[in-house]
Each structure stands twice: as C-alpha cells, then as structure tokens.
Amino acid sequence: SIDFDDLEIKGARSIKVIEKEHGKILEKTVTISDYQTFQGVNHRIEFDVNSYSVRPDSYPFLDKIGWEIKKALTFGELKGKHIVIIGHTDSDENETKNLNLSLDRALSIRSYLTSNSSIPSAQIRAIGYGDSVPLVPNTSNANKQLNRRVEIVTMP
C-alpha cells in the first residue's frame, strides 16, 4: 500500500484531494508544485460536462495503455510500482461537486483498466483533484474541455 503522503510534492500550494479506500471517501490536503516530479501521461482522456462516463473515442488508447501498463507492472520497468489515476474537472461547479466528479472520473478509468486489461485493482489508485490543477485557465469552453481529464502516473 502506498502512503498518501507519497503523492506530496515540494511546492507552492496546498490542495484538497479525495480518494475512495475500503468504501470510504478520504479527504486529504497535499502540497503541489507547478513542476510534477512523477512520471505520467496525459493523453487527452477527456470527459463531457458533468460526466464521468468514458468516451468511446478513448477506448483504443485505454486498451493500448492498459496492455502496456499490465506488461510493465508484471515484467517491466513498473514491476513493484503502482499506477495512480488523477481525475480533474473544470471550474464550473463548487469544490465539493468538483472533487467528487474528479474522483468518479478517475474511478471510471480505473474500472475500465481493471476490467479490460486484467490489471489488479490493488495496483491502481484513483484520486480526485477537482479543479485545483488546470492545464489552462478556465476562460473558454475549449479550455474547460482540456481541464476535464484524467492523468495516469506511476508511483513507487
């Protein structure tokens, strides 16, 4: 099991995040920087407004990355590591709704990967960051679409 504090990054600000563990929602505060120190991928796994349903156009990428993750966790460079799926939202709703929606987005990708790639659920965590880490300012519909996303990162 990974200590939640492993996700903390020396940085400029604290944000509230949520995670579901053993059926309970855990709320934590982590410190982040604009400079991520963990390896990850942000491949435009985007979502519709107020939705956490995986879009069909994401299936080919998720199938491919699921297979790569499974192989790397079993035999390769990720052996002994964990995958963390971080969900994000735009800024249109309040903090509580955005945190829950971002967690639901991360959980939906986690569910897809465990169901379709046979990755053990114990090796994938899902965390919701809400709207606290936008890629771009939430000043237009196009920018908001970019911020409704998940990121898949690796942790020791």
Side-chain angles (χ1 to χ4, degrees):
S1 167
I2 301 172
D3 183 356
F4 202 103
D5 292 333
D6 289 345
L7 293 178
E8 290 192 36
I9 303 167
K10 293 179 183 175
R13 61 189 172 108
S14 294
I15 63 168
K16 188 184 301 184
V17 301
I18 63 173
E19 179 177 23
K20 191 173 189 177
E21 188 174 299
H22 306 295
K24 293 183 179 180
I25 299 292
L26 303 176
E27 186 176 291
K28 299 283 182 169
T29 301
V30 296
T31 302
I32 65 164
S33 169
D34 290 333
Y35 307 101
Q36 289 184 310
T37 60
F38 42 77
Q39 294 179 322
V41 61
N42 179 8
H43 186 72
R44 306 280 303 253
I45 304 170
E46 298 173 351
F47 295 84
D48 294 328
V49 176
N50 292 322
S51 173
Y52 57 89
S53 296
V54 178
R55 289 181 175 176
D57 62 350
S58 295
Y59 295 164
F61 170 73
L62 290 172
D63 291 339
K64 180 179 178 184
I65 198 165
W67 183 83
E68 293 291 335
I69 290 170
K70 171 74 171 171
K71 186 172 81 172
L73 286 170
T74 306
F75 305 109
E77 64 274 9
L78 299 181
K79 191 170 184 173
K81 295 189 179 187
H82 290 81
I83 301 299
V84 180
I85 301 170
I86 302 171
H88 299 274
T89 65
D90 61 32
S91 61
D92 282 351
E93 298 292 339
N94 64 49
E95 179 183 53
T96 300
K97 184 167 182 176
N98 282 338
L99 282 170
N100 286 312
L101 181 57
S102 65
L103 177 60
D104 287 341
R105 288 176 174 165
L107 288 168
S108 71
I109 297 299
R110 180 180 184 258
S111 176
Y112 186 93
L113 291 174
T114 58
S115 296
N116 295 291
S117 303
S118 301
I119 299 170
S121 60
Q123 289 188 276
I124 302 180
R125 293 178 62 197
I127 300 173
Y129 271 35
D131 66 352
S132 59
V133 187
L135 287 176
V136 292
N138 283 293
T139 54
S140 69
N141 288 336
N143 281 6
K144 289 177 183 181
Q145 177 60 68
L146 291 173
N147 290 328
R148 293 190 296 269
R149 71 195 192 281
V150 297
E151 296 169 322
I152 302 171
V153 300
T154 58
M155 295 299 295

